[in-house]
Amino acid sequence: MRTLESPIRILCVDDNEFVGESLKRLVRRTEGLEWLGWLESADDLVPTALDRRPGIVILDYDMPGKSSIEAIAELAAAAPEIRVIVFSGHVRPAFIEQSLQAGAWGYISKNDGTEALLGAIGAVAQSRVALSPEARAAFEHATGQN
Amino acid sequence: MQRGLLAAVAIAAVSVAIVLGVRLLLGNIVGGRAPMMLFLLAVVASAYLAGVRSGLTAMALSILAGTYFLIEPVYGFVPLQVHDAVRLNMFIIVGLAICTVVGLLQRSYTRHGGREEGFHAVAASFRARAGWLAGLVVALAAMAITLVARLMVGPLLDGRAPMILLVLGVVVSGYIAGAKSAVLATLLGALAGTYFLLEPIYRFGPLETADTVRLVIFAVVGLSISGIVGRLQQSELHSGRMEAALNVSAATFRALADTIAQLAWMADQGGAIFWYNRRWLEYTGQTFVEAQAEGWFHLVHPGHITRVRESLIRAMAAGQRWEETFPMRGSDGSYRWFLFQVVPLRHEGLAGGVAEDAMADVATGRVRWIATSTDITERVEADEALRHAMEELRRAEEQLAHHNELLNARVMETRAELERTHQALRLSERMASLGTLAAGLGHDVGNLVVPMHIWLDTLERELSPARAEQGEAHEIVGLLRRSIEYLQNLVSGLRLLAMDPEDPGAADQATPLAPWWRQVEPLLRGTLPPGIRLIAEMQDHEVAMPRQGLTQAVFNLVQNAGDALGGRTSGAVRVVSQADGENVHLSVADNGPGMDPETRARCVEPFFTTRRRTRATGLGLALVHNAVMRAGGRMEIQSEPGLGSTFTLVLPKARGGFHGQAQNATPVATLTVRNERLAALITTLLDGYKVCRGPVPAPGTVLWIGDAAVSADEFRRFVSERRVEVAPAVTPRAIVMSDTPLPPEPGIVQLRAAPSPGEIRDAIRRVPAGGGAP
């Protein structure tokens, strides 16, 4: 099983500057993680990622501009070794399904807090798919119609 | 016949007797030689009155009587002399001529109309066309001939030529040229006779008395013959016209009867049909002979034949008009409806309908029957169609009335339903707005909570745990964290409250009570009026009810309890969960005023409320009741006035699924999946399993998930052989991800080679962890 090299290089995409700013602090003070930067939208994700070569991209689900699903699929096609974790305030089975189907390695609810996010980063780095508790509950309890 | 002959003889005898009497009276005047000519009166009268036979009889009687008196004029017998024989012969000739002429005319009359052939036809034709002058010429010719004959016979009769021969001329001219000609002949005969009477041997002399009598007798006989012949000829002419008219009538009738649209026949008194019109024969396809032989009853529809036959026989026996309607078969074998009318026909015309008259006519045998049948098939069909249409109309009207009633009832129901729906819609609109608000709020709060936590972490790291003066700062960070958590829970609760409780996607979701309560408690607490406490004793049970439905149900109950406690300074709402075997009892109790029995009985009815409409929809408890029923549970209500109310939701415990694994040991699943990310995703979804990866199932494996690298036989062997290896109650299962179709096999689920996360999740769900029942 292939794991990511340490430190794990993190790129963040979120339209909320508080989130971007706070994640920078979180990553910088966490051992084994390296902050590459923060994008306000997914429009330039693929060229930026190809340029900076992050190990993991933390991606908001709901942003202006290019849809996150489209960005995940494009990135998975362009650089499958770069793994995307969706970090969202929306916890709906359909969003989780679409994200995983597009190629995301994790779906973390913002309600589940930073511990869940850090745990997910570690799990994905070890080639596991990560779902935060709220996301897991929503997805596992849904039916095929979602 | 016998009677006719007798009458003829009797009339002849009477005539001759009368003439004999007159002759005897005149005998002395004419010098003892009574004129034989007078007998001609008896002959002509008898022939006229009683026919030729009577005339001949009168002639024979006259000969006997005349001969006797000829033989002995003074009533004595003497042998016949030559002139007497001549006179006798002349009498016979004249008598026969009279009988012949009268007979011809009478026969012509009885045969209706001057259609005799030969000389009689020529004479009749001549008479019809000849004028007065022609009659004179004929009379002259006839008298001239008879005069010459008389002059020739004269010497044989002692110079006294008999006048009787001239009567022959009268008869002949009358027959040929009519009565007027006969009268002229009589006048001419009288002149010629007189001349020769005056001078029998062609001399002129004064008339003797006997001669005058003879002259008068001649005139009487001549005029009688003229009258009778004329009368007969007029009768003949009249009857001829009648016959002609009758022929025209008959022809007209036949043409008419053949042209009319009706079928027709005529029958005699006994009902025997002797004539059919052309339409009848065309319709029935019978020839006249066949119709005569077969009749027509067999053409009547079998369903009507008895009735028709019996009623017609009855009507004919009574001589009454008959009318019936029935189907009759035509030449093509199909039946058509006819209006049949049979009416008695009498000499004076159609019967008037008076029963006595009809009976009399039948009794006297003067009735014939004429039948007409009018094709009324179209009318009958139209009547039938009309009747059918009327019936349809009536039924339609009934149905319409019925539908109207239903519709009215339906309208009333719908109106009530509409009112309810309208209320529910207003509520659901409010809930939808709330949902949108809650979703947006949740997103924004999430975006704030994460940074705040991170900042608090940073701040806490900056604070040295060892420094006592920083104790309050640590405490403040802790308070901030709890505040943030509270805010998070409030938003989560709000979102749960706004979610669609009937979301089919959530139908089989379960809710663990303890975490759920942490989420919704801030929201519930916020709904209570100030001073009212919310006390919770929540065990860690999991109920088979979606979180949003449970949230909304409990929210309504807590809100109602808060309302019941409104205005009190020391009220409490207690939410408690307890489990008993299959169910979890989640109760919401208040120490408010409680409900009277009527309110308690009606409180779950939709739109029932004890509060003002502006504050309450009356739907709250109804929604709770419905949500609990949908989850397979029930709601129990305990309430007494003054003792508060307790609403208990009895909810089934959650079972199976991802959280219902066998308690004994963690089941083992083996993945044989080459795609790394897919394997990672499946591993994450296999919550509750010990997941191994490898080309063959690890020991103790109850679920093997593999891609196309594993053959179908291997999977089949796995599900059939592993049963022995694993625990007795566990059936091994396999999930195969391959685009090559596999035959259905118990225990094996097939997915596409690249299944979606949802498909994987659903497939795992179908093979319960810990194995299913064998």
Side-chain angles (χ1 to χ4, degrees), chain B residues 264-280:
Chain B
W265 50 250
M266 286 179 76
D268 64 17
Q269 183 198 350
I273 300 174
F274 57 82
W275 171 83
Y276 296 91
N277 77 342
R278 198 167 57 212
R279 297 249 181 214
W280 177 285

Side-chain angles (χ1 to χ4, degrees), chain B residues 301-647:
Chain B
H301 190 278
H304 298 256
I305 189 162
T306 309
R307 171 177 63 88
V308 167
R309 190 200 299 270
E310 287 177 359
S311 71
L312 179 59
I313 289 171
R314 222 170 21 243
M316 286 182 107
Q320 286 174 337
R321 182 191 185 93
W322 178 78
E323 188 173 306
E324 282 284 356
T325 303
F326 52 86
M328 192 167 77
R329 194 175 67 230
S331 58
D332 61 354
S334 67
Y335 285 87
R336 295 186 68 82
W337 281 88
F338 284 89
L339 169 65
F340 233 83
Q341 290 174 304
V342 177
V343 293
L345 187 70
R346 298 181 174 83
H347 288 290
E348 63 271 25
L350 296 183
V354 182
E356 289 82 352
D357 290 352
M359 290 302 289
D361 282 335
V362 173
T364 53
R366 292 194 294 143
V367 175
R368 283 183 174 185
W369 300 94
I370 183 160
T372 57
S373 14
T374 309
D375 188 338
I376 54 164
T377 306
E378 285 169 11
R379 199 179 81 195
V380 169
E381 285 172 355
D383 285 351
E384 178 64 19
L386 186 65
R387 195 189 60 71
H388 189 66
M390 294 297 286
E391 180 66 18
E392 287 286 311
L393 188 65
R394 192 187 57 72
R395 266 204 296 270
E397 279 174 351
E398 282 178 6
Q399 281 185 348
L400 193 63
H402 181 60
H403 285 161
N404 268 340
E405 284 174 19
L406 288 180
L407 195 63
N408 280 336
R410 185 78 184 151
V411 165
M412 300 299 287
E413 278 176 27
T414 306
R415 189 176 292 168
E417 180 68 27
L418 195 64
E419 178 60 26
R420 283 196 290 273
T421 307
H422 186 61
Q423 289 271 16
L425 192 63
R426 283 204 320 235
L427 181 70
S428 85
E429 278 172 356
R430 286 216 301 268
M431 296 303 280
S433 306
L434 184 63
T436 307
L437 180 69
L441 196 61
H443 182 251
D444 290 343
V445 169
N447 276 342
L448 288 176
V449 163
V450 169
M452 284 195 282
H453 273 300
I454 292 172
W455 290 330
L456 285 173
D457 288 346
T458 310
L459 187 62
E460 211 165 25
R461 195 168 296 179
E462 295 298 320
L463 296 172
S464 166
R467 293 171 62 178
E469 64 270 24
Q470 292 176 339
E472 192 175 0
H474 282 290
E475 195 178 333
I476 290 170
V477 168
L479 287 172
L480 279 173
R481 283 195 194 281
R482 281 167 57 195
S483 301
I484 292 167
E485 194 179 345
Y486 186 87
L487 187 64
Q488 266 183 298
N489 284 338
L490 189 62
V491 173
S492 298
L494 197 60
R495 200 168 56 208
L496 284 177
L497 189 67
M499 282 168 71
D500 180 8
E502 296 182 30
D503 177 10
D508 57 355
Q509 286 184 11
T511 304
L513 287 183
W516 164 77
W517 181 255
R518 280 196 295 279
Q519 213 169 14
V520 300
E521 188 182 5
L523 181 76
L524 298 178
R525 202 174 290 283
T527 65
L528 293 176
I532 306 300
R533 287 177 299 146
L534 179 64
I535 302 163
E537 295 171 21
M538 202 60 61
Q539 309 296 316
D540 194 13
H541 303 122
E542 187 168 4
V543 295
M545 185 173 181
R547 287 192 301 169
Q548 57 261 49
L550 185 64
T551 305
Q552 288 158 22
V554 174
F555 180 86
N556 269 295
L557 294 178
V558 171
Q559 197 179 36
N560 281 351
D563 285 340
L565 292 166
R568 300 196 176 196
T569 51
S570 61
V573 177
R574 188 179 292 271
V575 183
V576 177
S577 78
Q578 289 177 316
D580 73 338
E582 296 292 306
N583 295 314
V584 174
H585 295 244
L586 183 62
S587 60
V588 178
D590 65 67
N591 55 357
M595 292 184 283
D596 60 38
E598 192 202 353
T599 307
R600 192 181 61 196
R602 296 191 56 200
C603 66
V604 295
E605 285 180 20
F607 305 105
F608 177 83
T609 180
T610 55
R611 289 177 280 160
R612 286 207 322 253
R613 281 279 166 199
T614 50
R615 288 201 61 219
T617 60
L619 285 172
L621 285 180
L623 291 177
V624 173
H625 181 70
N626 285 347
V628 172
M629 293 284 283
R630 261 201 310 279
R634 64 178 189 277
M635 181 164 70
E636 294 174 352
I637 304 169
Q638 288 175 308
S639 185
E640 293 287 336
L643 295 176
S645 304
T646 301
F647 291 81

Side-chain angles (χ1 to χ4, degrees), chain B residues 87 90 150-151 153-154 157-164 196-197 200:
Chain B
R87 281 200 183 91
M90 282 193 295
R150 185 181 177 233
L151 290 175
V153 174
L157 305 173
D158 302 334
R160 296 187 66 86
M163 284 286 282
I164 197 167
F196 291 109
L197 281 172

Side-chain angles (χ1 to χ4, degrees), chain B residues 5 67 86 109 235 379 456 559 677 681 747:
Chain B
L5 184 61
T67 306
V86 171
Y109 167 71
S235 296
R379 199 179 81 195
L456 285 173
Q559 197 179 36
R677 193 184 148 274
L681 175 63

Side-chain angles (χ1 to χ4, degrees), chain B residues 27-242:
Chain B
N28 291 331
I29 300 171
V30 293
R33 297 187 67 85
M36 195 64 187
M37 192 168 54
L38 207 58
F39 282 111
L40 290 178
L41 272 178
V43 172
V44 78
S46 299
Y48 177 65
L49 290 174
V52 175
R53 281 183 304 185
S54 185
L56 290 173
T57 309
M59 221 173 75
L61 291 172
S62 298
I63 289 168
L64 279 177
T67 306
Y68 172 76
F69 293 108
L70 280 172
I71 290 169
E72 184 53 64
V74 198
Y75 314 115
F77 287 96
V78 289
L80 276 177
Q81 294 176 8
V82 176
H83 58 86
D84 291 326
V86 171
R87 281 200 183 91
L88 196 61
N89 285 326
M90 282 193 295
F91 176 81
I92 291 169
I93 290 167
V94 175
L96 284 176
I98 288 170
C99 288
T100 305
V101 167
V102 170
L104 276 173
L105 290 173
Q106 281 178 336
R107 196 172 62 173
S108 175
Y109 167 71
T110 17
R111 289 176 64 170
H112 302 300
R115 285 215 216 117
E116 297 294 337
E117 292 182 355
F119 183 74
H120 184 77
V122 175
S125 171
F126 179 77
R127 270 201 308 276
R129 293 197 195 110
W132 180 85
L133 200 61
L136 178 62
V137 170
V138 170
L140 278 171
M143 295 318 288
I145 292 167
T146 47
L147 187 60
V148 169
R150 185 181 177 233
L151 290 175
M152 288 172 68
V153 174
L156 297 175
L157 305 173
D158 302 334
R160 296 187 66 86
M163 284 286 282
I164 197 167
L165 209 56
L166 294 175
V167 175
L168 190 62
V170 172
V171 170
V172 169
S173 61
Y175 174 66
I176 291 173
K180 288 173 187 166
S181 187
V183 171
L184 285 172
T186 305
L187 284 172
L188 290 170
L191 277 175
T194 305
Y195 171 78
F196 291 109
L197 281 172
L198 292 178
E199 186 54 62
I201 318 292
Y202 316 115
R203 282 183 304 109
F204 291 98
L207 277 178
E208 293 172 10
T209 308
D211 294 329
T212 307
V213 171
R214 279 200 186 89
L215 200 60
V216 169
I217 289 170
F218 175 78
V220 168
V221 171
L223 290 175
S224 300
I225 289 170
S226 300
I228 285 171
V229 167
R231 187 70 184 260
L232 284 172
Q233 283 170 343
Q234 273 187 347
S235 296
E236 182 198 41
L237 190 61
H238 178 67
S239 69
R241 284 183 186 145
M242 289 282 286

